[in-house]
């Protein structure tokens, strides 16, 4: 019987624009959706960035450069090639191996994703949002975690992407997005399987001072991996 574990402080943020990466306190990993390319030069740590659309993309920032050596990027099976830069196109997966003393270390996957949302002109429909979201949640197993913005509260997700029906759980129980009318909806996710080897705790939404309160807020949490062999 052998066990090994990893504990990390993580922040995830579907950001409205450029920001100081250190503004929200200490972290080991920082997952950014809609990261402005213009802010990359200001990040003093190692990062992996993939552009979704002009000037914006997904970014994983790590204070430990070695964490980024196993990153893969993927593309949804459908996306609108002419969409604006708030829409989804790619996903990122960071894989880290826990249990160096074991013959077969367990690979843990952290997925950074942003599915598209419907456009009033019909260029992107709900069926496209569902398709992309399904492709993301299909990647989740007992040793992986997905962070991102699903554009809907858990109870509003359609059957094929309903978390409970897919044996998944969202660890955010608080509002993460301030709407135009002031209502704070919970549409950002930290998702694992219900029987995951990853334990998520100390989840908090960071309500910082900004000129326009409408939009997404950063979410901080602690991640702990449990390895049993």
């Amino acid at each position: 019987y052998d066990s090994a574990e990893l504990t990390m402080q993580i922040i995830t943020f579907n950001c409205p624009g450029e920001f100081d990466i250190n503004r929200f306190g200490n972290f080991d990993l920082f997952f950014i959706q809609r990261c402005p390319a213009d802010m990359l030069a200001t990040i003093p740590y190692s990062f992996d960035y993939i552009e979704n659309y002009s000037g914006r993309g997904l970014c994983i920032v790590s204070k430990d450069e070695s964490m980024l050596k196993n990153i893969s990027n993927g593309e949804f099976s459908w996306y609108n090639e002419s969409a604006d830069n708030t829409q989804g196109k790619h996903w990122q997966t960071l894989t880290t191996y826990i249990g160096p003393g074991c013959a077969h270390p367990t690979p843990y996957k952290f997925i950074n994703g942003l599915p598209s949302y419907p456009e009033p002109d019909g260029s992107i429909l709900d069926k496209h949002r569902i398709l992309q979201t399904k492709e993301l949640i299909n990647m989740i197993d007992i040793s992986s975690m997905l962070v991102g913005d699903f554009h809907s509260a858990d109870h509003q997700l359609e059957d094929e992407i309903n978390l409970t029906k897919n044996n998944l759980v969202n660890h955010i129980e608080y509002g993460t997005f301030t709407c135009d009318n002031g209502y704070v909806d919970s549409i950002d996710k930290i998702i694992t399987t219900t029987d995951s080897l990853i334990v998520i705790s100390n989840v908090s939404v960071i309500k910082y001072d900004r000129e326009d309160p409408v939009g997404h807020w950063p979410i901080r949490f602690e991640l702990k991996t449990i390895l049993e062999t």
Side-chain angles (χ1 to χ4, degrees):
Y1 179 86
D2 181 31
S3 93
E5 62 183 38
L6 170 76
T7 301
M8 307 185 79
Q9 299 293 328
I10 299 179
I11 301 174
T12 178
F13 188 21
N14 188 8
C15 65
E18 294 182 46
F19 65 94
D20 178 354
I21 198 76
N22 289 310
R23 176 168 188 177
F24 309 118
N26 189 42
F27 65 87
D28 298 300
L29 286 175
F30 202 129
F31 295 88
I32 312 171
Q33 303 92 44
R34 295 182 185 151
C35 180
D38 287 346
M39 75 172 271
L40 297 176
T42 72
I43 299 176
Y45 311 112
S46 300
F47 63 84
D48 182 89
Y49 172 84
I50 183 162
E51 184 173 86
N52 274 337
Y53 295 98
S54 180
R56 277 194 168 191
L58 298 169
C59 190
I60 301 176
V61 181
S62 175
K63 291 186 178 179
D64 177 357
E65 185 176 2
S66 67
M67 285 288 290
L68 299 180
K69 64 185 179 185
N70 292 306
I71 285 196
S72 61
N73 300 314
E75 200 171 80
F76 294 122
S77 62
W78 182 95
Y79 59 88
N80 183 333
E81 292 187 10
S82 60
D84 72 41
N85 65 10
T86 64
Q87 295 287 6
K89 180 177 179 181
H90 292 105
W91 42 260
Q92 291 175 299
T93 300
L94 182 158
T95 305
T96 185
Y97 293 86
I98 313 297
C102 307
H104 302 286
T106 300
Y108 284 84
K109 293 185 302 181
F110 306 146
I111 305 157
N112 190 25
L114 176 73
S116 297
Y117 60 91
E119 289 283 12
D121 64 2
S123 60
I124 299 176
L125 303 171
D126 268 321
K127 70 176 184 179
H128 300 129
R129 170 184 57 81
I130 293 169
L131 173 98
Q132 292 182 351
T133 304
K134 184 68 175 171
E135 289 180 4
L136 286 173
I137 66 173
N138 281 348
M139 289 189 262
I140 306 173
D141 58 27
I142 64 167
S143 59
S144 57
M145 170 198 71
L146 168 70
V147 295
D149 168 19
F150 277 16
H151 315 295
S152 299
D154 293 355
H155 70 274
Q156 294 175 319
L157 294 171
E158 292 83 356
D159 280 358
E160 54 263 65
I161 55 173
N162 178 278
L163 300 182
T164 303
K165 291 181 180 178
N166 284 280
N167 296 313
L168 301 172
V169 59
N170 173 28
H171 297 272
I172 304 175
E173 300 175 0
Y174 317 102
T176 63
F177 178 88
T178 300
C179 305
D180 290 331
N181 63 4
Y183 176 70
V184 185
D185 206 352
S186 186
I187 62 178
D188 297 89
K189 313 295 179 194
I190 303 166
I191 298 173
T192 65
T193 60
T194 52
D195 58 348
S196 185
L197 296 173
I198 293 173
V199 177
I200 304 295
S201 62
N202 298 323
V203 179
S204 63
V205 179
I206 305 169
K207 299 282 184 66
Y208 63 97
D209 287 333
R210 65 186 186 197
E211 286 184 19
D212 185 0
V214 173
H216 294 269
W217 300 99
I219 301 109
R220 162 187 292 285
F221 61 99
E222 188 171 292
L223 176 147
K224 190 175 192 177
T225 60
I226 300 170
L227 175 70
E228 294 183 353
T229 57

